[in-house]
């Protein structure tokens, strides 16, 4: 049978709740003799900072086993479509969707005015079966996983709890830019990471991280590291920076693309009386970072 079982949403973070929906889509497609399809959007209608840039989001969705991912540009024209128009013009006519599987709280169409019962009625008129899913099973009694809850965790520095909700570590990618070389003077050279402006940055502080160079044939495999996010108050900084120190690594990384996975927040950012006091703290940070990463790997 031709056609698709489709699910639709932002899927920001591709967290455990999303993974549940995507797996249900795959299972239903297999049972129905159809193909699974994920429909998502190029940016959030709320213009909020994202957990996953678009290319990373698509990669994570495909990693679940869904080969076809359609990314819709969230244009004024698309926003003007009612739910019925969207189902007819986009789902049926453009994508040959035969079954639409929606999350328990998913809404689409102009101003998100309509709900599941409306979608079922339109589907009956258009030849699209509309089915709803319950919330994904919660992990450890933590309640329903959502992108907004994960954002809250990250803005509180609870990156390890965010990873539990995501099903994978929270990560940031970007290129290494030249900084002021303060870390080198302290004996802890850092890569000054410049991420996408659209991606959410966790609350300032020192973190244990894993670092991977994204270029092919790199000599840098995933390595342990520590990252400082903040304004560098000891040096009267006025701009937030993301500085990554890779433990036991001394090569030049300027201009290279890096991916940083957050393991644990070590401490809040604070001002030190002098460079020597900061240097001693960095030594302790390095020890704690290695311990946190070792514990995570067990």
């Amino acid at each position: 049978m031709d056609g698709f079982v489709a699910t639709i949403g932002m899927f920001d973070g591709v967290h455990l709740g999303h993974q549940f929906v995507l797996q249900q889509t795959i299972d239903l497609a297999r049972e129905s003799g159809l193909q699974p399809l994920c429909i998502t959007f190029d940016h959030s209608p709320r213009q909020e900072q994202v957990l996953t840039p678009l290319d990373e989001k698509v990669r994570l969705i495909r990693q679940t086993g869904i080969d076809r991912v359609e990314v819709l540009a969230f244009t004024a024209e698309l926003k003007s479509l009612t739910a019925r128009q969207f189902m007819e013009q986009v789902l049926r006519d453009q994508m040959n969707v035969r079954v639409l599987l929606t999350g328990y709280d998913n809404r689409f169409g102009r101003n998100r005015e309509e709900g599941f019962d409306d979608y079922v009625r339109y589907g009956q008129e258009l030849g699209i079966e509309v089915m709803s899913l319950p919330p994904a099973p919660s992990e450890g009694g933590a309640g329903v996983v959502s992108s907004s809850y994960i954002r809250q965790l990250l803005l509180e520095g609870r990156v390890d709890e965010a990873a539990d909700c995501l099903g994978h570590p929270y990560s940031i990618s970007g290129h290494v830019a030249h900084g002021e070389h303060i870390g080198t003077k302290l004996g802890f050279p850092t890569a000054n990471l410049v991420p996408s402006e659209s991606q959410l940055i966790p609350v300032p502080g020192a973190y244990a991280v894993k670092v991977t160079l994204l270029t092919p044939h790199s000599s840098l495999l995933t390595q342990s590291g520590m990252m400082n996010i903040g304004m560098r108050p000891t040096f009267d900084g006025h701009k937030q920076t993301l500085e990554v120190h890779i433990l036991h690594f001394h090569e030049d990384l300027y201009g290279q693309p890096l991916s940083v996975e957050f393991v644990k927040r070590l401490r809040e950012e604070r001002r030190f009386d002098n460079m020597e006091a900061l240097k001693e703290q960095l030594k302790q940070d390095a020890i704690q970072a290695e311990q946190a990463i070792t514990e995570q790997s067990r």
Side-chain angles (χ1 to χ4, degrees):
M1 185 185 299
D2 292 333
F4 294 89
V5 174
T7 187
I8 183 169
M10 272 303 301
F11 295 100
D12 188 24
V14 196
H15 55 62
L16 291 178
H18 295 144
Q19 293 169 39
F20 173 76
V21 171
L22 294 168
Q23 186 58 54
Q24 295 298 311
T25 303
I26 292 169
D27 293 345
L28 183 58
R30 186 180 297 119
E31 295 169 7
S32 307
L34 300 169
Q35 299 177 63
L37 166 65
C38 177
I39 303 168
T40 189
F41 302 93
D42 62 347
H43 68 273
S44 168
R46 292 184 288 274
Q47 300 297 327
E48 59 198 352
Q49 289 188 304
V50 298
L51 301 174
T52 42
L54 181 57
D55 57 348
E56 175 69 2
K57 177 171 70 172
V58 171
R59 185 189 71 80
L60 288 170
I61 291 171
R62 286 186 172 141
Q63 195 170 284
T64 68
I66 292 188
D67 293 328
R68 182 165 176 185
V69 181
E70 290 286 348
V71 179
L72 300 179
F74 204 76
T75 62
E77 181 181 1
L78 185 69
K79 286 190 287 186
S80 71
L81 296 179
T82 64
R84 192 190 191 289
Q85 289 170 332
F86 179 81
M87 290 178 68
E88 180 178 8
Q89 298 174 26
V90 179
L91 299 186
R92 189 190 69 180
D93 296 348
Q94 292 183 25
M95 299 182 183
N96 194 22
V97 171
R98 307 290 289 275
V99 180
L100 176 64
L101 201 58
T102 72
Y104 74 104
D105 61 349
N106 190 27
R107 286 176 177 264
F108 57 85
R110 187 173 59 205
N111 298 325
R112 296 160 59 90
E113 296 166 333
E114 295 150 302
F116 179 73
D117 291 341
D118 299 300
Y119 308 151
V120 171
R121 186 171 72 256
Y122 302 149
Q124 290 170 344
E125 297 169 2
L126 297 168
I128 299 174
E129 182 178 4
V130 179
M131 303 175 66
S132 179
L133 282 167
S138 61
E139 293 292 317
V144 177
V145 173
S146 69
S147 298
S148 58
Y149 178 59
I150 294 169
R151 288 189 189 91
Q152 177 186 331
L153 291 175
L154 294 171
L155 292 174
E156 294 174 359
R158 297 155 64 186
V159 294
D160 45 350
E161 294 177 59
D164 290 339
C165 293
L166 287 163
H168 52 82
Y170 186 65
S171 66
I172 290 176
S173 299
H175 282 77
V176 178
H178 283 277
E180 298 180 19
H181 305 288
I182 293 174
T184 301
K185 296 174 185 176
L186 293 167
F188 290 86
T190 58
N192 186 23
L193 188 68
V194 181
S196 165
E197 292 182 0
S198 66
Q199 187 166 10
L200 185 144
I201 307 299
V203 69
Y207 293 85
V209 297
K210 291 181 178 179
V211 188
T212 305
L213 189 62
L214 298 178
T215 53
H217 313 301
S218 166
S219 62
L220 174 61
L221 302 175
T222 299
Q223 298 281 349
S224 300
M226 57 188 189
M227 169 183 268
N228 185 78
I229 299 173
M231 307 292 287
R232 296 182 300 175
T234 304
F235 304 98
D236 298 318
H238 300 290
K239 180 181 178 182
Q240 179 169 278
T241 60
L242 285 69
E243 297 179 287
V244 187
H245 172 71
I246 304 172
L247 301 174
H248 319 301
F249 185 82
H250 306 287
E251 295 180 24
D252 183 356
L253 294 174
Y254 290 118
Q256 300 297 315
L258 288 183
S259 175
V260 176
E261 293 183 354
F262 290 86
V263 176
K264 183 179 181 180
R265 189 175 189 232
L266 303 174
R267 59 175 174 86
E268 63 183 13
E269 184 182 42
R270 61 179 182 267
R271 177 187 292 272
F272 292 88
D273 293 335
N274 52 57
M275 289 183 66
E276 193 59 36
L278 174 56
K279 185 175 181 179
E280 287 304 311
Q281 181 62 61
L282 291 174
K283 291 178 181 178
Q284 293 302 312
D285 291 345
I287 293 170
Q288 292 181 37
E290 286 203 284
Q291 290 175 341
I293 293 166
T294 298
E295 290 174 6
Q296 185 210 46
S297 302
R298 287 175 182 166

